[in-house]
Amino acid sequence: MRVDAFDFDLPPERIALRPARPRDAARMLVVAGGAMTDAGVRDLPQWLRPGDCLVFNDTRVIPAQLEGRRGDARIGATLHKRIDLRRWQAFVRNAKRLRIGETVDFGAGVSALAEDRLADGSFILFFPGDEPVELLLERAGTMPLPPYIAGKRATDDADRSDYQTMFAQKDGAVAAPTAALHFTPDLLAALGAAGIESETLTLHVGAGTFLPVKADDTEDHVMHAEWGVIDAATADRLNAVRARGNRVIAVGTTSLRLLESAAGEDGVIRPFEGDTAIFITPGYRFRAIDGLMTNFHLPRSTLFMLVSALMGLETMQAAYAHAIAGEYRFYSYGDSSLLLPQR
């Protein structure tokens, strides 16, 4: 499909620069049964059925944004994907001033060698020494806020907690699974009291999620791979949910993408460990999920293409027009939507 089919006019003031406080005070647009309803995140238990299961991503965001120097040149690096214990793939700002074999000094005793440059323009950075790279990042790195936020304000100490979900356990993401930022212990308790189940999986979200689609046609866009895992016990429990007639609701596009990567043509979710570069556009047949809770995404983004695949492009164009007119807050720190397709 043509990428411009997924374009729409988003006023810049609709992009949220801070999250709602408390987190579950955010608004939620419910799109279900051909209708749209303005609700709040705290209303979520009312829109689900006893026995339904929410699936969360338990990845933890690391402070993967680095600012340094190579001689007189300022070099910025956003770590994207772990290669091994000491090597990371990174998107580099001012890359024309960095050559293979040169070292970038990021301060606080942290440096990295530009070991290789890949076909997409990203670098392989090698961090010498014995300290775990995670400790180096805690000293020298900052939280990698999306460019649409970071371009409008500086990252600060509040982002260290704001840009982390309550489920965050496993280090490795360089972007938050933002749909789950709305959840609080109180909301989770209310869901449990209503008979709603929950499961977790892990997908380490990469910085590629922020990259714009530069191709004119979706067929020509290449997704960056991200590493994820679903263990056998979790897969079995999720299959049991659907087998008894209940619904699996992904919390966030990251959970959805990993579930769909793990499911076969028969709709059975299987254990999964490895990279996924799944790219979901209209025409895709969903196998593993029955609904999605997600934030509002940017024009021409792969994530708006994904929700259009789930609900239909015309439906999502209408929903986003409603959200913009109703002054919903967009993107990572913004409001939420609950998408329940007709089956």
Side-chain angles (χ1 to χ4, degrees):
M1 293 183 68
R2 287 195 56 82
V3 170
D4 58 14
F6 302 93
D7 204 0
F8 55 89
D9 182 24
L10 179 64
E13 61 270 21
R14 295 273 55 81
I15 297 176
L17 300 184
R18 297 285 183 183
R21 301 191 191 282
R23 294 181 179 217
D24 58 7
R27 300 169 69 192
M28 183 175 70
L29 178 63
V30 181
V31 185
M36 288 183 286
T37 305
D38 296 306
V41 168
R42 291 171 181 162
D43 300 322
L44 183 60
Q46 303 169 29
W47 290 95
L48 302 178
R49 307 167 190 152
D52 286 348
C53 184
L54 295 167
V55 184
F56 299 96
N57 186 355
D58 66 5
T59 190
R60 184 175 181 275
V61 183
I62 59 175
Q65 185 71 49
L66 296 164
E67 299 293 335
R69 286 185 173 275
R70 197 279 305 152
D72 293 333
R74 291 182 177 274
I75 303 292
T78 302
L79 304 192
H80 165 60
K81 187 172 183 288
R82 181 194 295 277
I83 304 300
D84 57 32
L85 286 177
R86 308 224 63 83
R87 291 172 177 83
W88 278 77
Q89 182 183 353
F91 296 115
V92 171
R93 191 176 69 256
N94 204 15
K96 65 180 181 295
R97 301 292 300 275
L98 183 63
R99 295 179 176 85
I100 294 171
E102 294 181 332
T103 295
V104 182
D105 181 1
F106 294 114
V110 178
S111 63
L113 174 72
E115 213 175 55
D116 196 7
R117 187 166 187 173
L118 305 182
D120 63 1
S122 63
F123 280 79
I124 301 298
L125 298 183
F126 171 77
F127 293 84
D130 298 322
E131 285 185 282
V133 174
E134 286 77 11
L135 289 182
L136 301 179
L137 295 178
E138 289 294 335
R139 285 211 308 271
T142 59
M143 292 299 272
L145 289 184
Y148 294 95
I149 297 174
K152 294 185 176 183
R153 67 164 179 84
T155 304
D156 56 30
D157 288 343
D159 293 307
R160 289 246 173 182
S161 56
D162 286 346
Y163 201 55
Q164 206 77 266
T165 76
M166 65 172 288
F167 308 97
Q169 291 186 351
K170 297 170 184 171
D171 285 343
V174 300
T178 54
L181 290 178
H182 299 296
F183 284 79
T184 63
D186 285 347
L187 177 57
L188 210 60
L191 287 160
I196 313 302
E197 301 177 4
S198 64
E199 295 287 347
T200 60
L201 46 71
T202 305
L203 181 72
H204 291 324
V205 192
T209 191
F210 301 139
L211 294 181
V213 179
K214 296 181 178 178
D216 293 327
D217 195 284
T218 56
E219 298 259 342
D220 300 321
H221 178 68
V222 178
M223 291 285 283
H224 283 79
E226 297 165 318
W227 184 90
V229 60
I230 301 175
D231 63 38
T234 301
D236 287 345
R237 289 192 296 269
L238 290 171
N239 290 325
V241 170
R242 301 186 90 194
R244 65 175 183 249
N246 289 110
R247 298 175 296 181
V248 169
I249 310 293
V251 178
T253 57
T254 63
S255 295
L256 183 151
R257 292 177 64 245
L258 187 56
L259 288 167
E260 291 296 319
S261 299
E265 290 286 346
D266 56 1
V268 175
I269 299 167
R270 293 174 172 81
F272 183 99
E273 182 172 0
D275 286 347
T276 177
I278 189 171
F279 181 26
I280 296 175
T281 58
Y284 178 85
R285 184 178 66 82
F286 288 85
R287 305 168 182 174
I289 61 98
D290 305 290
L292 170 67
M293 183 177 176
T294 186
N295 288 15
F296 291 95
H297 307 294
L298 297 185
R300 300 172 71 100
S301 64
T302 61
L303 303 181
F304 184 63
M305 295 172 191
L306 184 154
V307 297
S308 297
L310 180 65
M311 303 299 293
L313 178 56
E314 288 187 5
T315 296
M316 291 316 300
Q317 286 172 332
Y320 272 48
H322 176 91
I324 291 168
E327 299 187 347
Y328 278 77
R329 302 162 71 249
F330 273 60
Y331 211 47
S332 299
Y333 278 154
D335 293 316
S336 186
S337 64
L338 178 63
L339 309 178
L340 300 173
Q342 292 178 308
R343 290 288 186 250

